[in-house]
Amino acid sequence: MKPDLFQAPDYYNLDDLLTEEHKLVRDSARAWVKREVSPIIEEYAQRAEFPNQIIKGLGEIGGFGPYIPEEYGGAGLDQISYGLIMQEIERGDSGVRSTSSVQSSLVMYPIWKFGTEEQRKKYLPKLATGEMMGCFGLTEPDFGSNPSGMVTNFKDMGDYYLLNGAKMWISNAPFADVAVVWAKDESGRIHGLIVERGMEGFTTPETHNKWSLRASATGELIFDNVKVPKENLMPGKSGLGAPMMCLDSARYGIAWGAIGAAMDCYDTALRYSKERIQFGKPIGGFQLQQKKLAEMITEITKAQLLTWRLGVLRNEGKATTAQISMAKRNNVDMAINIAREARQMLGGMGITGEYSIMRHSMNLESVITYEGTHDIHLLITGADITGIPAFK
């Protein structure tokens, strides 16, 4: 088991832009990842298993709803703190960050924003500690980038709602205690429902044979005449805009998280370039390797500045969906390119589990697709700057 020697790059002294609280939150998360995630993650990724024992620790470092108010069990932190936590967790593994950001932005966020006071008090404190885990049901087998076409639906049966349908590619589904599910009512309007494990007709089969996010639990949500109590409908907002608000929060977290994966690949390649001797000197002394490393740190620095500014805008309530899309798309693309270059620098060693790079590279193939594909985010930016949607 190799020690975690990670040193975070900060080429433009971005720490000067952070508060002492920001740095404390980040450093606590970083230390926890080094202690609890790095030593075990390669083994769990090879086994395609989520390390359930880290859930309590994720809660302790603020990995679950750090911006949720303290009265509901959250830490009451700002958006930059949330981003920094996601950065550090994804530096460890994208799959672990998926578990964290789904819980935070796709389960706790909608309950906090759209739920009743009774729902907030019932679910949020337990979700904040990890005593209760959740998942988010939007994507369906036939509707991914076009969620408005969903067929999952519920009917008012007087005393309860009758829910039918299926969701696919759902992080945390196999072990989730609750699912925030988006479904159409009899008029075709989309609403959010809280579905609990144990409700008759609700099953969560696991998705196997993944080459990506192997240390993350992914599954389906199947609803076969599930009776959902009426008090489990979230009344605060309906329509497609409601789940899109959740995705804004999650995509913002991904923009930060991808930087963590890129940092880890860069740091690994940089260290290796100083140790690996070829033609009588370290490979870091050759021009082509320096070119790769110089471009990596340049792109990481640009991404850091992009997300920091976006975090300020989020704190001020000014960040737009299109701005978040730009950061998610740019930063994940940046990270996947750095992973690819770093892998090449390590040669054959780059494909082994002795180093983190190939695992990051495989994980990022999912991150560049989920919560808005690379192409869809490009079109969101295009529609924003031209005023002409190109989706259909």
Side-chain angles (χ1 to χ4, degrees):
M1 187 180 295
K2 295 182 68 172
D4 185 344
L5 302 175
F6 173 74
Q7 292 185 320
D10 184 12
Y11 203 71
Y12 261 44
N13 299 331
L14 265 79
D15 269 19
D16 294 348
L17 298 174
L18 304 178
T19 67
E20 290 305 311
E21 181 179 63
H22 290 151
K23 288 182 276 193
L24 178 62
V25 166
R26 180 199 62 197
D27 293 347
S28 296
R30 183 173 296 165
W32 178 81
V33 167
K34 286 194 172 194
R35 186 177 66 250
E36 303 293 338
V37 178
S38 298
I40 65 167
I41 197 64
E42 300 297 343
E43 177 189 351
Y44 276 86
Q46 291 283 358
R47 295 201 320 238
E49 181 182 337
F50 175 74
N52 286 289
Q53 70 272 23
I54 68 172
I55 288 176
K56 185 173 184 292
L58 279 170
E60 290 171 351
I61 64 165
F64 299 142
Y67 49 77
I68 298 293
E70 292 182 69
E71 64 181 298
Y72 301 120
L77 299 173
D78 74 349
Q79 289 292 303
I80 291 176
S81 292
Y82 169 53
L84 289 165
I85 293 169
M86 295 302 105
Q87 172 186 286
E88 295 306 313
I89 295 174
E90 188 145 3
R91 202 280 299 177
D93 187 75
S94 300
V96 176
R97 196 269 309 141
S98 294
T99 295
S100 179
S101 61
V102 164
Q103 181 93 332
S104 299
S105 291
L106 302 183
V107 180
M108 298 178 72
Y109 179 89
I111 293 174
W112 171 44
K113 285 291 186 181
F114 314 139
T116 64
E117 188 65 13
E118 290 73 24
Q119 289 169 348
R120 295 185 193 110
K121 290 178 178 177
K122 178 179 179 180
Y123 297 109
L124 291 179
K126 290 182 178 180
L127 289 165
T129 62
E131 179 185 346
M132 184 177 280
M133 295 298 294
C135 64
F136 175 86
L138 180 64
T139 298
E140 296 188 359
D142 294 323
F143 296 96
S145 296
N146 178 26
S148 63
M150 71 172 66
V151 295
T152 299
N153 66 91
F154 65 96
K155 296 179 180 178
D156 189 336
M157 305 303 287
D159 296 331
Y160 58 86
Y161 297 122
L162 194 65
L163 178 65
N164 281 284
K167 303 292 182 176
M168 197 173 187
W169 305 119
I170 310 300
S171 295
N172 300 357
F175 57 72
D177 301 292
V178 296
V180 170
V181 179
W182 301 94
K184 290 180 176 177
D185 64 15
E186 289 160 280
S187 71
R189 185 75 175 171
I190 295 171
H191 296 266
L193 300 161
I194 301 171
V195 181
E196 298 184 27
R197 184 171 296 282
M199 290 183 176
E200 188 176 351
F202 175 41
T203 54
T204 58
E206 187 165 2
T207 303
H208 297 288
N209 299 321
K210 297 183 298 176
W211 288 111
S212 182
L213 298 182
R214 288 173 61 83
S216 175
T218 310
E220 300 174 57
L221 304 178
I222 309 295
F223 312 106
D224 182 9
N225 289 322
V226 180
K227 295 180 179 179
V228 181
K230 286 198 165 180
E231 61 266 24
N232 284 31
L233 182 138
M234 294 183 293
K237 188 174 177 63
S238 64
L240 192 59
M244 290 298 107
M245 284 178 63
C246 305
L247 288 170
D248 274 353
S249 180
R251 290 164 176 171
Y252 167 77
I254 291 171
W256 281 90
I259 295 174
M263 284 178 166
D264 197 59
C265 293
Y266 164 78
D267 183 65
T268 302
L270 177 62
R271 188 176 297 107
Y272 187 87
S273 77
K274 297 175 181 179
E275 298 168 352
R276 175 66 168 169
I277 308 297
Q278 290 289 283
F279 304 102
K281 68 177 182 181
I283 63 172
F286 291 100
Q287 288 183 357
L288 285 177
Q289 306 311 311
Q290 289 191 6
K291 175 182 184 291
K292 290 176 181 177
L293 291 167
E295 288 176 341
M296 288 180 196
I297 190 59
T298 300
E299 293 305 313
I300 288 170
T301 301
K302 286 156 65 176
Q304 287 176 306
L305 290 164
L306 190 66
T307 46
W308 175 80
R309 177 58 185 161
L310 186 61
V312 172
L313 292 172
R314 288 279 289 175
N315 281 338
E316 296 173 350
K318 296 177 181 176
T320 67
T321 293
Q323 287 170 335
I324 293 167
S325 279
M326 177 183 284
K328 191 269 187 184
R329 179 184 178 275
N330 179 82
N331 291 9
V332 181
D333 185 60
M334 172 274 300
I336 206 167
N337 287 327
I338 286 178
R340 188 173 296 122
E341 291 290 335
R343 208 293 302 159
Q344 291 192 52
M345 288 185 67
L346 267 66
M349 292 304 297
I351 70 165
T352 72
E354 187 174 348
Y355 296 93
S356 62
I357 294 173
M358 195 67 184
R359 175 172 50 81
H360 281 307
S361 188
M362 292 191 300
N363 285 342
L364 289 164
E365 290 290 349
S366 289
V367 182
I368 205 167
T369 295
Y370 71 24
E371 297 187 29
T373 68
H374 187 68
D375 293 343
I376 286 292
H377 285 299
L378 194 69
L379 294 180
I380 290 172
T381 303
D384 190 53
I385 59 178
T386 65
I388 309 168
F391 298 101
K392 55 186 176 180

